[in-house]
Amino acid sequence: MSLPSLQARRRNVRPVVDGLESRELLSAAPTVAAQVSMISGQEMSQESIVGQLSLPPTKMPSTVPQAPAPADTNPYGVAFVPSDFPKGGRLHPGDVLVSNFNNSLADGSVQGTGTTIVRITPQGQQSVFFTSTEPGLSTALGVLEDGFVIVGNVPTTDGTFNTIQQGSLQVIDRFGNQVLKLTDPNLLDGPWDLTINDLGPIAQVFVSNVISGTVTRIDLLVLPSLDKVKVLDMTQIASGYTVSPNGPAVVLGPTGLAFDPRTDTLYVASTGDNAIYAIRNAALTFSDGGKGKLIFNDAAHLNGPLGLVLAPNGDLITTNGDAFNLINSSVPPSELVEFTPTGQFVAEFSIEPNNSGSAFGIALGRSGNHLILAAVDDFSNQLDLFQVNG
């Protein structure tokens, strides 16, 4: 669908955005993906990000919530609270949020039953930000700069694909209150990961659906003064990714997403295909582009790519979940893998050299003048923070 069609579908928001046409808003607003919003406007060298990680990482407190909250395990999603996040709530700029997929060890650590988002401050203090009524909080975790948190869930009743359910997206305000729950039988079918193109009054949320093997774009109207978020459009923009049941991971399907506003390209880490794809015109299209263009499927370095971020040097960084090839893979376990958008391998690093399946969610943020890479460690239920030297 053309841009004029997009304008027509959004005429109802004109009074809210001071009469600006959608086209003017999209061209004038500071287009940034949520996972790199804290580093926009700051330059770094073109050297490898993974190659500049300070070692050892800073080990933050356990991601297992403290009593009386449920002692959930298996951290999946991770997101930084951006520097311009509104004051007056339970979150502050520089905080890191982590979503938990499993319930407690005492209850069996059953996959798809975790309900908590924990907040970890830059000083290392941990607390529960939100406890959901929707179990199985996934890697789909992001923060809107106008004061909202978005999280997805993919529940099961017994930790297996046999009981997997469709799930939902929840929008939570900065005080920890749910203000919106989104479900759709076709467009939100197992929200497994997300990334955000944050334009202020309008935000675009790209969601990977692990059950249907699709990607949906949700266009939101953000109204912080009313503590509300409204849906403008929901559009399937990609499909055809391999979905398969998997014992250690419940399911393999499309997972990590990273959006490049400079080229209007959405990158998709398809775990079940062991590959990274690129969807062109992701912010404006109203059509399904299939899998998109294959850009990276290097079996020497990929083994079930999961989390995905776009780095300020223009490279992409993914995490290997190690579930694609459980037996014969020669790829070292639990790796961060950096590569260019044209598919050239750059660097790799294992966060758990002796344990497979530990790397899942990944995020980039800033602490002062330093770029920080955050990675959850499923094996130790921990958050690792790496300072990027350079």
Side-chain angles (χ1 to χ4, degrees), residues 5-166:
S5 298
L6 175 63
Q7 291 176 309
R9 293 181 68 169
R10 289 185 175 161
R11 283 174 184 162
N12 61 325
V13 308
R14 283 184 180 177
V16 179
V17 293
D18 298 325
L20 285 175
E21 296 284 352
S22 294
R23 182 172 185 174
E24 294 171 336
L25 177 63
L26 289 169
S27 63
T31 309
V32 288
Q35 74 243 38
V36 297
S37 62
M38 297 183 68
I39 55 177
S40 62
Q42 303 193 45
E43 298 297 328
M44 285 193 60
S45 70
Q46 294 302 305
E47 297 180 22
S48 163
I49 300 298
V50 170
Q52 296 183 82
L53 298 181
S54 60
L55 300 175
T58 300
K59 295 285 186 178
M60 302 302 281
S62 171
T63 56
V64 177
Q66 303 169 1
D72 291 341
T73 58
N74 206 10
Y76 265 27
V78 59
F80 281 92
V81 178
S83 58
D84 49 0
F85 195 80
K87 298 179 180 179
R90 298 172 60 186
L91 300 177
H92 304 284
D95 289 347
V96 181
L97 297 178
V98 176
S99 53
N100 286 307
F101 188 59
N102 292 20
N103 64 6
S104 70
L105 288 172
D107 292 323
S109 189
V110 178
Q111 298 191 93
T113 58
T115 59
T116 52
I117 299 176
V118 297
R119 168 202 176 210
I120 299 176
T121 71
Q123 295 75 35
Q125 298 171 323
Q126 190 238 69
S127 60
V128 174
F129 167 66
F130 180 69
T131 301
S132 177
T133 59
E134 309 295 325
L137 300 188
S138 66
T139 327
L141 180 66
V143 183
L144 296 175
E145 62 184 20
D146 277 340
F148 298 92
V149 174
I150 302 176
V151 67
N153 76 298
V154 181
T156 78
T157 59
D158 63 1
T160 73
F161 185 80
N162 293 332
T163 63
I164 199 168
Q165 300 169 45
Q166 195 166 55

Side-chain angles (χ1 to χ4, degrees), residues 296-355:
F296 192 62
N297 64 339
D298 184 352
H301 298 102
L302 288 183
N303 186 11
L306 294 170
L308 188 67
V309 293
L310 178 70
N313 67 351
D315 289 346
L316 293 155
I317 304 172
T318 192
T319 57
N320 273 338
D322 304 320
F324 181 80
N325 190 334
L326 295 172
I327 300 174
N328 298 319
S329 177
S330 60
V331 179
S334 306
E335 283 212 314
L336 309 178
V337 181
E338 181 177 355
F339 54 96
T340 69
T342 58
Q344 179 181 355
F345 169 74
V346 176
E348 61 189 357
F349 173 77
S350 177
I351 68 169
E352 278 281 355
N354 299 315
N355 296 288

